[in-house]
Amino acid sequence: MNIQNVYILEDRGILYINGADAKEFLQNLISNDINKVNDDNSCFASLLTPQGKFLFAFIIVKHKAGYFIDCEKSQTEALFKQLSTYKLRSKVEIMNLSNEFVIAAFSHEKFLKFEGAKDQPGNTIKYREDPILLDPRNKDLGARLIINLEKLYLSLKKLKLKNSPIDEYYKLSHNLGIAQKEMNKLQNKLFGIECNFEELNGIDFKKGCYVGQENTARIKLKNKLSKRLLPINLIEGELNQDDLIYNGEFEVGKVLINNKYPFALIKYLEIDFKKKNEFTCKNALITIDKPDWINR
């Protein structure tokens, strides 16, 4: 990622949660520990089904008396509704601010040039009143500025950042093995822990109960994690959602996201999965990447 480039992530949405019970409300729902989130630190988290299956992924950033929820814009309404079902009598207000705020992503190197910046995922500083955070999932994804749309372009000019094609950012994310696009295609298809959320700093195994905690902890403690969401690369042909993936005659996975940044759920521990191999789908030839940040 070039130090002068900035990517306006217009496909990201912003919810804002505040109120007297906002912290407790989030703590009882999300896979991470909301106590990690303050003016100096942000976190990555997910919302799961009671069975531990994936529903939503987002970044949580402290802002004034509440929390920004940085999520995929196409999912903001669905996430808003899902959170609202848990509100009950909690003193919590949930607002969709996607038309007012925008996310701008830029390089890790540029972030470190800001006064007070620390080289650790999630580190959060202020540019005037606006939060800038080093991506809590992986530092190589760079930093994110959450800013009011009206102030965006003047601020980018003052920061000497040049607007660049958004595809460059998502290609980098795919190369790193981090899914961010069309995440709705994953809903109820795999466990949150199979999305690599532990390695992406999105699960806290020491916090108390949250929705989906029981199965997530069981898979971890019993060492039952045998499938992972991994990026795939199309060599030729066409990918379709739910296509089975084969190494010869042996099934090793299934395509879940079939856009230009495709991902599949792969049985990566099986002897039939070898990273350097070429694999076949119904109408395609592919390769599968296992990111270096996945240790086993």
Side-chain angles (χ1 to χ4, degrees):
M1 194 182 291
N2 190 296
I3 192 171
Q4 295 179 322
N5 290 355
V6 66
Y7 306 96
I8 312 304
L9 305 184
E10 295 177 345
D11 56 343
R12 301 294 293 181
I14 293 289
L15 297 180
Y16 185 64
I17 299 179
N18 69 350
D21 297 335
K23 187 173 184 178
E24 182 181 6
F25 172 74
L26 286 170
Q27 183 73 335
N28 291 332
L29 296 179
I30 65 172
S31 60
N32 214 331
D33 187 351
I34 195 64
N35 291 306
K36 296 174 181 175
V37 181
N38 53 46
D39 289 336
D40 301 317
N41 195 70
S42 302
C43 83
F44 176 59
S46 60
L47 186 61
L48 309 175
T49 70
Q51 295 75 34
K53 294 292 186 72
F54 170 81
L55 281 179
F56 301 97
F58 39 81
I59 294 171
I60 304 177
V61 183
K62 189 76 173 70
H63 183 65
K64 297 182 178 178
Y67 301 91
F68 279 140
I69 306 293
D70 165 5
C71 60
E72 194 171 3
K73 195 169 190 175
S74 62
Q75 293 297 294
T76 49
E77 285 300 326
L79 178 56
F80 180 94
K81 290 178 182 178
Q82 188 71 24
L83 291 170
S84 296
T85 63
Y86 289 109
K87 257 183 72 171
L88 301 176
R89 297 180 181 177
S90 298
K91 296 177 182 177
V92 171
E93 182 181 22
I94 306 171
M95 295 181 283
N96 188 347
L97 301 183
S98 300
N99 293 327
E100 299 176 36
F101 287 84
V102 68
I103 307 291
F106 54 88
S107 72
H108 175 205
E109 185 180 1
K110 178 71 173 180
F111 175 78
L112 294 180
K113 292 187 176 296
F114 284 87
E115 183 179 353
K118 297 179 182 178
D119 192 14
Q120 58 191 42
N123 178 232
T124 305
I125 58 176
K126 282 289 198 312
Y127 175 69
R128 299 179 177 177
E129 296 180 351
D130 302 307
I132 297 179
L133 56 140
L134 191 57
D135 200 299
R137 295 166 291 187
N138 187 302
K139 293 189 295 184
D140 290 335
L141 278 173
R144 303 165 86 83
L145 165 65
I146 304 178
I147 189 169
N148 192 288
L149 188 57
E150 294 178 354
K151 299 191 296 181
L152 173 66
Y153 291 100
L154 179 59
S155 294
L156 296 185
K157 183 177 180 180
K158 290 182 177 180
L159 292 172
K160 299 180 181 179
L161 288 167
K162 179 181 66 175
N163 195 3
S164 301
I166 194 173
D167 279 349
E168 291 181 8
Y169 173 80
Y170 284 114
K171 183 177 180 181
L172 169 65
S173 186
H174 184 259
N175 289 341
L176 289 171
I178 301 171
Q180 297 195 64
K181 300 282 286 180
E182 294 189 29
M183 298 287 280
N184 61 300
K185 292 184 176 181
L186 304 181
Q187 290 179 330
N188 285 295
K189 297 286 185 70
L190 73 172
F191 290 102
I193 195 171
E194 292 175 333
C195 297
N196 310 312
F197 288 163
E198 180 181 6
E199 290 82 0
L200 295 173
N201 308 310
I203 300 176
D204 191 306
F205 289 99
K206 296 179 181 179
K207 68 170 282 188
C209 293
Y210 58 90
V211 178
Q213 184 263 348
E214 187 174 348
N215 276 345
T216 302
R218 183 182 294 116
I219 294 170
K220 168 72 172 176
L221 293 173
K222 294 190 175 182
N223 201 26
K224 295 290 187 180
L225 183 59
S226 61
K227 296 183 287 186
R228 286 186 181 270
L229 187 70
L230 298 179
I232 56 180
N233 300 293
L234 181 65
I235 297 175
E236 62 182 33
E238 181 180 7
L239 288 173
N240 297 294
Q241 189 178 7
D242 296 328
D243 276 353
L244 297 179
I245 300 171
Y246 293 90
N247 182 9
E249 61 184 33
F250 299 102
E251 180 190 329
V252 298
K254 178 188 286 189
V255 176
L256 297 184
I257 299 175
N258 61 313
N259 60 20
K260 64 164 68 173
Y261 312 108
F263 282 80
L265 184 61
I266 301 297
K267 303 171 186 177
Y268 77 107
L269 291 181
E270 293 197 1
I271 59 172
D272 300 315
F273 171 63
K274 295 178 176 60
K275 181 178 173 182
K276 294 183 180 180
N277 285 10
E278 292 183 352
F279 300 84
T280 58
C281 298
K282 183 178 180 180
N283 298 308
L285 185 66
I286 65 170
T287 59
I288 302 171
D289 290 335
K290 181 170 174 283
D292 293 338
W293 47 262
I294 294 179
N295 296 321
R296 72 170 191 90

